[in-house]
Structures are given as C-alpha cells and as structure tokens.
Amino acid sequence: MVTMESFVLKLPPSFRIIKQSPNCTNRTFRTVPFASATAPAPLSTDSQLGPGSLGYLTRPDFPILHQELNGKRLVYLDNAATSQKPEPVLNALRNYYEAYNSNVHRGIHYLSAKATDEYELARQKIANFINASEGREIVFTRNATEAINLVAYSWGMSNLKKGDEVVLTIAEHHSSIVPWQFVAQKTGAVLKFVSLTEDEVPDLGKLRETLSRQTKLVVVHHVSNVLASVLPIDEIVSWAHEVGAKVLVDACQSVPHMVVDVKSLNADFLVASSHKMCGPTGIGFLYGKSDILADMPPFLGGGEMISDVYLDYSTYAEPPSRFEAGTPAIGEAIGLGQQ
C-alpha cells in the first residue's frame, strides 16, 4: 500500500526550486487548476501531509496528479525514470509555441530575437543553477546520453590512444559505459572497471589504486538510483587530477535532489537530463570547463556549429554553439529554464 509518507519521500524533486541559491527566481505555489484538470481537494490538516508539508504545497503544481485512477488519486513514484512536469514548465512550453515560436540565432525580427533571448537565458539559468563560471560552459543536448556521447566522440576520439585507460565503476548506467566501449574499439584504449564493496557500493579504495599515469579519464555517477551510493566527487576528482586524468560525472540523479556546485566539485565534465528534474523530455545538458570545450572538435556538422562554410572546408563556432548543430530543442530548453 502506498502511504502518504512514501508520497512525500518520492515526490518529484521541485524542492530544488525552494532551496537553491539566489540565482534562481523565487516563485509561489499555485492552487489554480491547469487547463481542464480538476484540482484535488486540500488534504485534511490531521494528515501526515498537513498544510505546511512539502507534498501539500507542491501537489497542486502538477496537473497530472489532479486525476483519479481506479477511484484513487494518482500517486507517482517513478521519478528515477522520469519526473512529472509542474504547471510553470507546461506554461513555458505553451507560451513559446503560442507567442514567439521562431528559430534562434538566425533572424533579426522580433520573434527570433525573443526566442534567442529566452533560449540563452535558459542556458544562463542552468549555469547559475550548478554554479558554472559562465553560460558558455553549458551545452544543450537531447539528453544526458547524448552529452556523454558528445564527450566520447569529440574529446575521447581526439585524446585517447592505444594503451590509455578509462576507469569506470561497474555501477555505472549503461549510457556511461557503451560510448566508451565504442571509443575503446576505435582507439585501442582500455576500459578498467572498479568493483563493489561488501556493502554493494563502489570500492573507492580500489578506484584510487586503479588510477595511474595511463589513466586519461574517470567516468563515475554522483548518485546511483540503484545502489543509493553517493560518491565523493571532489575527492575522486582530486585523485584523478593527480595523475593527469579528466573526470566525467553522471549527475542525472544528483542535480534534481541536491545542490551540485561544479566549481566545488572541480569535475571536467558533468551531464544531466531535464526530464528527471521536472523539465521537458528531449533536452539535457553537458557542463564542460571552458578551456577543455574550446579544444574539442565538433560532434555533429551543420547549422549553428559553423562560423564560415567554403566548398572545401569550414571554420567552426566557439562553444557552446560548436556542439549544437541544427535547430535545437528551443521550447524544451526554455521549459527547463523555468525550473
């Protein structure tokens, strides 16, 4: 049986909006129903979800929860797979398509200028959200998987050679493993996997022992939705940097649930997905240190990633445009920026 207490613990993580830094815009919780959805009656004050609780305050923000299934109010617990979307995100998507739908960076008319401003504002909001130094350290991607592949094919194919090592844990999501298998097959690099302890969490002692001057990259999760392990990324980064290796952090499960400060962590790359943090599907982001991104070649060709095109060669835009080929997911990025 699903209890109201379990609902509080598994609620989509909009609490980030409340506790995040002053860089985020404060917003009040709405009780007005969205579109044709009927908002549920307030919970009784003697419930574990009383008027002052997080669940009581945030539930009206999620229109999908305003329905009943099999005579019961919907309770959704599958947030590790994807989260539900609050009304401000849905409104941002609708407003983009109804009020200023246009391509970005390609026109001087009002709609294009408005869309470009909102798209770039969303990028800056994400940079502020994770405390990146500047907006150009944020690259929009379709999801975290694409962000990892971007690093693999751009940085990995350019920097890894036969005998180089990529260190991972066996607890990584397959999206963090498969791209490096591809790169290893093409470059001759070697993948090394760190096992788990008796407590079934990644063996940090073994990870540190595995690092050597042959290690060029460490790929680790921040928080595991399977093992509930929370890795000390700042320490892992310090160990990796001691041997000259870069670090890529899968932060899909940490960014929605805890404060993630990339300056403090000092990771070289970090990826996350919008759809796991109450944002739209089809949009995610890669954080990369600006000097590293500047040295990376394009991942895909065409559209925003070019500077000048000639018949026999092209020159490329500076990051992040260099890695955002074609028309991006504009509305989805703006929706993510409403978090």
Side-chain angles (χ1 to χ4, degrees):
M1 176 181 295
V2 176
T3 66
M4 298 312 294
E5 181 178 7
S6 67
F7 172 78
V8 175
L9 295 175
K10 297 293 185 178
L11 189 74
S14 57
F15 67 88
R16 281 298 306 274
I17 302 170
I18 299 172
K19 76 172 188 176
Q20 190 57 26
S21 70
N23 293 316
C24 295
T25 302
N26 293 327
R27 68 178 178 87
T28 57
F29 294 102
R30 296 163 175 78
T31 57
V32 179
F34 177 80
S36 60
T38 302
L43 298 169
S44 61
T45 55
D46 59 353
S47 165
Q48 288 177 310
L49 279 180
S53 72
L54 179 62
Y56 184 93
L57 291 171
T58 59
R59 186 179 179 100
D61 266 359
F62 292 81
I64 199 170
L65 300 179
H66 299 175
Q67 61 181 304
E68 291 188 355
L69 295 178
N70 301 317
K72 303 289 185 179
R73 287 201 300 172
L74 177 63
V75 175
Y76 180 83
L77 305 177
D78 198 21
N79 299 292
T82 197
S83 58
Q84 298 303 333
K85 321 307 174 193
E87 187 176 350
V89 170
L90 300 175
N91 286 342
L93 280 167
R94 172 182 290 169
N95 187 45
Y96 165 71
Y97 286 111
E98 288 184 348
Y100 57 100
N101 174 42
S102 185
N103 217 321
V104 294
H105 301 133
R106 301 186 187 186
I108 59 173
H109 58 86
Y110 170 80
L111 295 183
S112 180
K114 171 70 171 174
T116 299
D117 286 347
E118 293 297 324
Y119 180 75
E120 291 302 328
L121 177 60
R123 189 193 308 277
Q124 187 59 53
K125 286 180 178 179
I126 294 169
N128 294 342
F129 195 60
I130 63 172
N131 198 29
S133 296
E134 50 190 336
R136 67 191 184 102
E137 292 184 322
I138 303 299
V139 178
F140 284 126
T141 59
R142 288 186 302 164
N143 41 51
T145 298
E146 183 175 84
I148 295 168
N149 275 270
L150 192 165
V151 177
Y153 282 95
S154 179
W155 183 89
M157 293 295 292
S158 300
N159 289 276
L160 296 177
K161 62 184 186 301
K162 186 175 181 179
D164 287 342
E165 296 174 357
V166 177
V167 175
L168 313 93
T169 80
I170 64 171
E172 300 312 309
H173 191 283
H174 63 263
S175 291
S176 290
I177 297 175
V178 176
W180 300 106
Q181 291 176 338
F182 291 162
V183 171
Q185 291 166 5
K186 294 178 183 295
T187 63
V190 177
L191 305 187
K192 288 198 167 184
F193 288 90
V194 175
S195 59
L196 305 181
T197 66
E198 292 182 355
D199 296 324
E200 297 188 345
V201 296
D203 190 332
L204 295 180
K206 191 68 175 177
L207 188 154
R208 188 171 190 180
E209 291 175 5
T210 303
L211 301 178
S212 71
R213 287 296 172 182
Q214 283 69 52
T215 306
K216 302 304 177 186
L217 181 70
V218 178
V219 180
V220 288
H221 62 271
H222 195 178
V223 174
S224 171
N225 65 318
V226 176
L227 303 177
S229 52
V230 182
L231 300 186
I233 298 299
D234 53 347
E235 293 184 38
I236 294 172
V237 169
S238 178
W239 302 337
H241 286 177
E242 285 177 1
V243 298
K246 301 287 191 291
V247 179
L248 187 158
V249 178
D250 174 358
C252 288
Q253 303 295 344
S254 61
V255 169
H257 295 282
M258 57 194 285
V259 173
V260 173
D261 184 331
V262 293
K263 287 182 183 175
S264 176
L265 296 178
N266 199 26
D268 303 285
F269 304 105
L270 180 142
V271 303
S273 275
S274 163
H275 74 97
K276 294 186 179 182
M277 50 191 292
C278 299
T281 57
I283 189 75
F285 67 87
L286 164 69
Y287 158 80
K289 290 181 177 178
S290 57
D291 59 330
I292 300 176
L293 292 178
D295 288 337
M296 289 166 52
F299 173 42
L300 299 172
E304 293 299 309
M305 52 74 62
I306 58 95
S307 178
D308 294 297
V309 177
Y310 304 91
L311 294 182
D312 52 349
Y313 74 97
S314 297
T315 59
Y316 308 124
E318 293 297 314
S321 296
R322 181 183 302 175
F323 306 108
E324 296 180 5
T327 297
I330 303 167
E332 287 74 11
I334 293 169
L336 172 58
Q338 289 298 310
Q339 294 291 68

